[in-house]
Amino acid sequence: MEEFKIGLCPYCGMGCRFYIKTLNGQPIGIEPYPGGVNEGKLCPKGVAAVDFLRHKDRLKKPLKRTENGFVEISWEQAIKEIAEKLLEIREKYGPDTLGFFSSARCSNEENYLLQKIARLLGTNNVDHCARLCHASTVVGLAQTVGAAAQSGSYTDIPKAKVLLIWGYNPSETHPVLMRYILRARDNGAKIIVVDPRKTRTVWFADMHLQLKPGTDIVLANAMMHVIIEERLYDREFIMNRTKGFEKLIAAVQKYTPEYAEEITGVPAKLIREAAITFATAGRGIVMWAMGLTQHVTGAANVKALADLALICGYVGREGTGLFPMRGQNNVQGACDMAALPNVFPGYQKVTDDEKRKHVAEIWGVEDLPSKPGLTIPEMIDAAAKGELKALYIMGENPVMSDPNTKHVIEALKNLELLVVQDIFLTETAELAHYVLPAAAYAEKEGSFTASERRVQWNFKAIEPPGEAKPDWEILTMLGKALGLPKFDYSDVEDITREITLVAPQYRGITPERLKREVMGVQWPCPSEDHPGTPRLHVERFATPDGKANIIPVEFKPPAEEPDEEYPFILTTFRIVGQYHTLTMSNRSESLKKRWSSPYAQISPEDAKKLGIQDGEMIRIVTRRGSYTCRAVVTEDVSEGVIAVPWHWGANILTNDVLDPEAKIPELKVAACRVEKIGGC
Amino acid sequence: MEKKLFINLGRCIACRACEVACEKEHGISFITVYEFRDIAVPLNCRHCEKAPCIEVCPTKAIYRDEDGAVVIDESKCIGCYMCSAVCPYAIPIVDPIKELAVKCDLCAERRKEGRDPLCAAVCPTDAIIYADLNELMEEKRRRKAERIVEAQRKAVETLAYFG
Ligand code: SF4
Ligand code: SF4
Ligand code: SF4
């Protein structure tokens, strides 16, 4: 029998809906579902979203490492042994030698449970891959406007008169969002793109500010310099709704467009023009992604953009806003659910006694750990040093996704216990002591939160393969085996309901409502009859005094700059047809054959100097490793810049130096050299 | 008026969702996206009004169906590829299994069920639209006119301000 079930795309953070077509319970295809934020439209990954579900490589049984490799074991044995080992390690070395990686690929309920387990075991060592993408945004926005989330909705985009798209390439990372962006352009909006590469988003831009990687602050400060000099800022907004403008005036004084030109490589005239266009538009939106955040100054970069929007009064009104664009289907939700080492669900600080007691009470314990835990890079380092003994990883693949691959592998091998819960035997799972087979998105229920804070229900369409189970079920079994209080969830809705009690933003977002309202609800939603909040900061900011903080920031160069030995700047990017570490997307024949192999973009000038032909094989070398791929000679990158898609393991090259505030690694800039190998 | 498959190059982001969609529907993709330095061209059968492929086909295997789609009748095709030779866009190709000429049929199966061709249904930016062309152009003209008004008002305002 052919059936259509409403699905939710498992790839990026856009939150697209589609129908999953099934035949006798097996997934056979995707069909447009007209009633979602995507209006039926999809990108190639969305169209291919059922391809990996029945792939032969799916994990179907729990695995245990033995001397002869992995052997299949029963769920009972797996859960019992893992629980025993976790308790043993806690007993022997203390709770802070346990670590947990949660997942932006899993539901709110699953993230909620994993961090709950960590905390009930006595540690705040829980984090997830937002550390590698929007940790800078979380820190930068918390300090300036008080809420670490997209302030407006996608529907604000067509109402804007200017879009400042910074370190972000929606044409490839959120193709469906381009629908809204092109609508803005149809309505006469100007589009300014800031990117070291001429991307497919630049095709649609009025201005392209092609800056040198890592010089974002200089450019933003120079734009603010011009806006202040020309008195184009929104005086009233600054007076009534912000603090700190005077300090900004002083700080950006020296950032003249001419000075900025020297550092960023963007012509001073263009900087002026962009600043004036942005400030005089009347309604503007600033959008950003990894090109801005993955820097040693990531948090400062975000603050600079927030300042830029604030001084123009572009927050809290129709057609305005701060839009950090989320790359994974539930990275917003994983943050909201506190898969983060310093907060409880709903961004309640672990150090806040009152809030901690409140959460502890709901969870049926006296108190919870109050010391902020370790972040992902810190846990990796601790494992390498032998200070972290056990790591529980749900749905993440740090071997591929984290910088400096060799270091990550060494660290993981050093652990006494590594448990990986995933849908495939990833590069990380291969190193585990126990591998637990998880259900994929279409095989389970739960809620996911898209980029615009939209919480949507994920309906189940098919059964998981073999003995694979939804992550929430696995975690419930584990919680019970660990003897943790109140782990008697019988279905996922029980957990959704508990979230409404713990996370204030989710109070009115009940499972019943989410199932009824397919379009979902945008948080904050204080009660069940509240319609949800399409726009934040309308009357007051989410700061204690309700005012936004304008925080001036100073430029600091990237940690690695080109030198004689490594004369090029290496940067990384994403492509439309592959997704992150390839785990899902490369198991679709349609995607794999179109986006088949790694390459590097190199400018014609540099290619000529090195005698490299288009299509030839090259080797890229950094202080951490080397990587072989095909050269694509293109004017899309400037002289001195080498750009590689990161999906095929390019993180062997990247730098694991951290932003001191956000603890995000500088994935976007490293010094490299290029060697010609020859042959094709 | 019947619906046409309209391609607007100015909106294509080269995402190739149309190719993947077509491949899912037909087993092979009948649409190909060619990327250039700052533009991409998605190319498929244009279902020409005066289709040379229909004219040239010796067995009358190619015909126009009730929706205006130019379709190849597999049972009549002899695999002579004269259609490929005369097509201005080089569209008909060899089906690797049947070894007969194949091309876009505007998703005939889907149209029977009242659904749009899949490439147009998924294209995220409306670079491909399946619609009544005259209505589409009317809407576009109206939007252009609105823009002219907006610019005109702005000019008047600016004049008043400086005047
Ligand atoms: S844009 Fe994002 S959510 Fe939409 S189909 Fe593509 S990957 Fe999925
Ligand atoms: S789906 Fe649309 S935007 Fe994407 S390549 Fe095809 S025509 Fe272009
Ligand atoms: S196959 Fe070629 S000639 Fe025939 S209708 Fe299509 S585009 Fe026109």
Side-chain angles (χ1 to χ4, degrees), chain A residues 8-18 37-38 41-47 49 172-177 326-327 329 574 576 579, chain B residues 124:
Chain A
L8 184 61
C9 181
Y11 283 108
C12 82
M14 181 77 198
C16 298
R17 286 275 188 205
F18 46 60
V37 291
N38 54 319
K41 305 298 178 172
L42 294 169
C43 78
K45 296 181 296 300
V47 175
E172 300 215 46
T173 58
H174 300 95
V176 174
L177 196 77
R326 303 303 209 151
N329 57 342
R574 243 202 72 188
V576 65
Y579 191 76

Side-chain angles (χ1 to χ4, degrees), chain A residues 393-437:
Chain A
I393 301 180
M394 170 172 83
E396 289 216 358
N397 187 9
V399 168
M400 297 297 275
S401 61
D402 293 21
N404 198 354
T405 308
K406 277 191 204 154
H407 176 60
V408 177
I409 294 177
E410 278 159 26
L412 296 181
K413 285 195 174 155
N414 210 15
L415 290 161
E416 284 184 22
L417 176 67
L418 175 63
V419 183
V420 174
Q421 191 169 307
D422 213 313
I423 60 174
F424 289 106
L425 193 70
T426 60
E427 292 78 359
T428 305
E430 279 172 25
L431 303 175
H433 300 105
Y434 292 92
V435 180
L436 302 178

Side-chain angles (χ1 to χ4, degrees), chain A residues 262-288:
Chain A
E262 266 171 48
I263 298 177
T264 63
V266 183
K269 192 165 161 274
L270 192 58
I271 299 178
R272 261 207 184 86
E273 202 184 321
I276 294 171
T277 305
F278 181 72
T280 55
R283 285 198 304 272
I285 290 177
V286 188
M287 321 175 99
W288 68 90

Side-chain angles (χ1 to χ4, degrees), chain A residues 354-365:
Chain A
E354 200 182 311
K355 300 217 161 114
R356 195 178 61 250
K357 287 265 152 59
H358 174 68
V359 177
E361 198 180 311
I362 300 173
W363 290 354
V365 288

Side-chain angles (χ1 to χ4, degrees), chain A residues 455 496-497 499-501 503-514 516-517 521-532:
Chain A
V455 189
T496 321
R497 263 176 235 116
I499 293 170
T500 65
L501 301 178
Q505 296 86 337
Y506 283 69
R507 189 127 307 155
I509 309 182
T510 60
E512 292 74 23
R513 180 166 179 194
L514 288 176
R516 211 171 45 231
E517 297 170 26
V521 185
Q522 286 174 280
W523 70 251
C525 176
S527 65
E528 216 178 330
D529 48 14
H530 187 282

Side-chain angles (χ1 to χ4, degrees), chain A residues 31 51 200 594 636, chain B residues 19 23-24 35 37 110:
Chain A
E31 179 64 32
D51 295 15
R200 291 178 194 159
R594 289 184 170 77
D636 293 348
Chain B
E19 279 186 20
E23 185 170 300
K24 296 284 173 215
E35 189 184 344
R37 234 182 97 56
R110 296 178 60 84

Side-chain angles (χ1 to χ4, degrees), chain B residues 44-48 51-54 70 86-92 103:
Chain B
N44 72 337
C45 173
R46 305 312 310 135
H47 301 274
C48 309
C53 58
I54 298 183
V70 173
V86 296
C87 171
Y89 299 103
I91 292 299
K103 65 169 203 65

Side-chain angles (χ1 to χ4, degrees), chain A residues 4 31-32 40-44 47-48 51 161 171 175-176 178-179 182-183 185-188 198 200 203-204 576 588 590-591 593-595 634-636, chain B residues 9-17 19-21 23-25 27 29 35-40 110 115 118 120-126 128 143 147 150:
Chain A
F4 283 53
E31 179 64 32
K41 305 298 178 172
L42 294 169
C43 78
V47 175
D51 295 15
K161 286 291 166 207
S171 283
V176 174
M178 278 308 278
R179 180 174 188 77
L182 291 183
R183 244 179 232 163
R185 197 184 62 151
D186 293 342
N187 296 340
K198 184 174 176 202
R200 291 178 194 159
W203 294 0
F204 305 92
V576 65
S588 156
S590 305
L591 299 179
K593 76 166 171 244
R594 289 184 170 77
W595 293 275
T634 168
E635 284 164 31
D636 293 348
Chain B
L9 301 184
R11 295 186 92 83
C12 177
I13 56 174
C15 74
R16 302 169 85 182
E19 279 186 20
V20 174
E23 185 170 300
K24 296 284 173 215
E25 187 67 22
S29 181
E35 189 184 344
F36 298 89
R37 234 182 97 56
D38 45 18
I39 195 167
R110 296 178 60 84
R115 285 181 274 157
L118 199 56
V122 300
C123 173
T125 56
D126 292 345
I128 309 180
R143 235 184 294 130
R147 292 287 307 285
E150 210 176 296

